[in-house]
Amino acid sequence: MVGTDWSGEHHDYRDTVMIYGCVSPALGGRVSLVTNGTGVQVRPDTVTIDPSGSGIIAFRVTVSQDASAGLRIQHHGGGEDDISGPLVAADGDGWHFVPHSQ
């Protein structure tokens, strides 16, 4: 099972913010944070899970002006998961994350 942890606070365009991927380290394999739109860059996009680690993986996300995208977290190996993460929402002079269900 995988999930994400993120903040809904305001960010300026081109600021880099963190989204944390959460996965059971015992599953092993790889976890990816992927975009399904434009104007959002994720680094790194894929991380190999350390079975002796915490299972918390930091992804750096940078959003350009006029971005339109959502994020998904995917786990491959030792089970397969693919779930929705937050959406990028413009808020005047910047952006913030909102839950996928909004």
Side-chain angles (χ1 to χ4, degrees):
M1 175 168 274
V2 297
T4 57
D5 184 35
W6 47 271
S7 160
E9 67 192 49
H10 169 86
H11 304 285
D12 292 330
Y13 291 111
R14 304 213 184 275
D15 281 354
T16 298
V17 301
M18 304 299 269
I19 289 184
Y20 295 94
C22 306
V23 62
S24 171
L27 294 174
R30 297 177 327 279
V31 66
S32 302
L33 188 66
V34 297
T35 65
N36 60 359
T38 60
V40 177
Q41 181 181 33
V42 177
R43 292 180 317 268
D45 59 352
T46 302
V47 174
T48 300
I49 299 166
D50 179 356
S52 64
S54 68
I56 299 172
I57 299 158
F59 293 97
R60 294 178 308 280
V61 177
T62 307
V63 175
S64 300
Q65 193 164 358
D66 299 323
S68 175
L71 296 165
R72 299 188 69 76
I73 189 161
Q74 300 173 336
H75 174 251
H76 305 283
E80 303 287 321
D81 280 309
D82 181 356
I83 64 166
S84 297
L87 299 172
V88 172
D91 61 9
D93 61 347
W95 65 276
H96 63 282
F97 288 124
V98 297
H100 186 77
S101 59
Q102 286 188 342

